[in-house]
Amino acid sequence: MAAVRGEFSSKFGFILAASGSAVGLGNIWGFPTQAASNGGAAFLLVYLILAFALAYPVLMAELIIGRHAKSNAVNALRLISNSKVSYLIGSITGFVGIITASLILSFYALVAGWMLSYILAPIAELLGQQWAADWLTDFGLYRNIIFLLIFMTLTVTIISGGVKDGIEKWSTRLMPALLGLLLLLIVYVLFQDGAMEGVKAYLLPDFSRVVDTKLIVSALGQAFFSLSLGVGTMLVYGSYISQKENLSYLGKMVTLVDIGIAVMAGMLIIPAMYVAQANGVQIFDAAGQLISEDTLIFTVLPALFDTMGTVGIFISFAFFVLMGIAALTSSISMLEVPVAYAVENHGIDRKRAAQVIGLVIATISVIIAFNFEALFGLTIRATTRFSQPVLGLMLCVFAGWIWHRNKMLEEIKQGYAEVESGFFWKIWPSYIRYFCPIAIIVVFAQRVLS
Ligand code: PHE
């Protein structure tokens, strides 16, 4: 019944897979648009602090618990529980994580589908098929459904391949491509007229905004979403790390890659907006705010590409391929959460599990597509603003209060024998016990109250 558990073949394989999960639409779309509407570099600064001070410690908790249990979140939290009550709470936390990951995937697939259709639009244009290009870029129900199904099929296919031949293989192919494309686009955009004004807006902080609670709340939400925290993704990926590896090093690398790519994406998107302005595209709304979110990606940037002539067609293609890759390496990590549970707890064959669960999630996506106005924003808010921080808090409680400290130490010592003399072990245990839960509660309360 129980299948042999997969394992990442190397440090490098894990780092690329986990940063593939972390680096997603959250980095390339979410981060720059939030920075654009929250005071540019002020947001960047707060984000950097919160990512290292709050998100990294929670990521470490997931990796350590996951590798120790060598199982999905439900089993892992049960394993480290110390009473009937904590066993029950652990089970609930694990299940809520599975549901949250699946719901995140249901809206993510819809958005990722738009990226796929925008990849094809410039090709249709090159072939002189303007009607097809228009259909691909118009917000239509059929287009939405067709492309979300294509995207889910890709996700299911990769996850069916397992840890080494699915997740790791595709992450190690796609992540270097993502980095290459991103660098290429940045260099191109920075040489256009108007770009420097964007660089200034992005890198010169408006310090008066740094203490703005709305900004802090958004930055924390962004950091948690971006590092794929709370829902059990990193815990499951952690469960596939070999006992030989140093977890504190791996966690640091993933955090650095995630933050680095977000910061680079800002260097692409914000200057691109100012280039668009220099080309006559409107980038401020009626209230004088920088246009952000979907209007930025699907209106401002395409308008910019249009002003660039034939080069614009290639740039547009490259940009949406970049978005598509970012989305795919993240979506596989979301699907892995319920699939790992189905395989490990119910003995279901991996391929079967991926197909059936993929179908259920695709059905939810289709329902969202049909009721877009009512359900899209609601699903995003419920999962990312509510569920993720609460789950993050529960993980801190398990790592800081429930799991026995010595057992945790034993686990980290594997692959890092001298951990006790390092900086990490001096700070992290009390940090995850006191600072992280309190900070999450404070920020969460702010969010609920406002
Ligand atoms: N980190 C991904 C992004 O930035 C989103 C994600 C959330 C992935 C939760 C997995 C789990 O887009």
Side-chain angles (χ1 to χ4, degrees), residues 371-431:
N371 304 280
F372 191 80
E373 292 294 325
L375 294 184
F376 183 68
L378 182 70
T379 318
I380 296 183
R381 282 193 300 276
T383 51
T384 64
R385 296 209 185 152
F386 186 78
S387 191
Q388 259 191 307
V390 175
L391 289 167
L393 176 67
M394 292 315 297
L395 283 163
C396 294
V397 171
F398 269 85
W401 295 88
I402 293 178
W403 196 11
H404 199 285
R405 207 179 137 115
N406 289 342
K407 296 223 175 98
M408 191 151 69
L409 179 61
E410 257 169 52
E411 179 57 46
I412 311 177
K413 272 187 167 171
Q414 316 235 15
Y416 185 17
E418 62 287 10
V419 60
E420 277 165 291
S421 56
F423 181 65
F424 178 75
W425 190 250
K426 293 205 171 67
I427 304 232
W428 184 78
S430 47
Y431 210 79

Side-chain angles (χ1 to χ4, degrees), residues 11 62 161 225 271 324:
K11 268 196 225 11
E62 288 208 28
F225 184 74

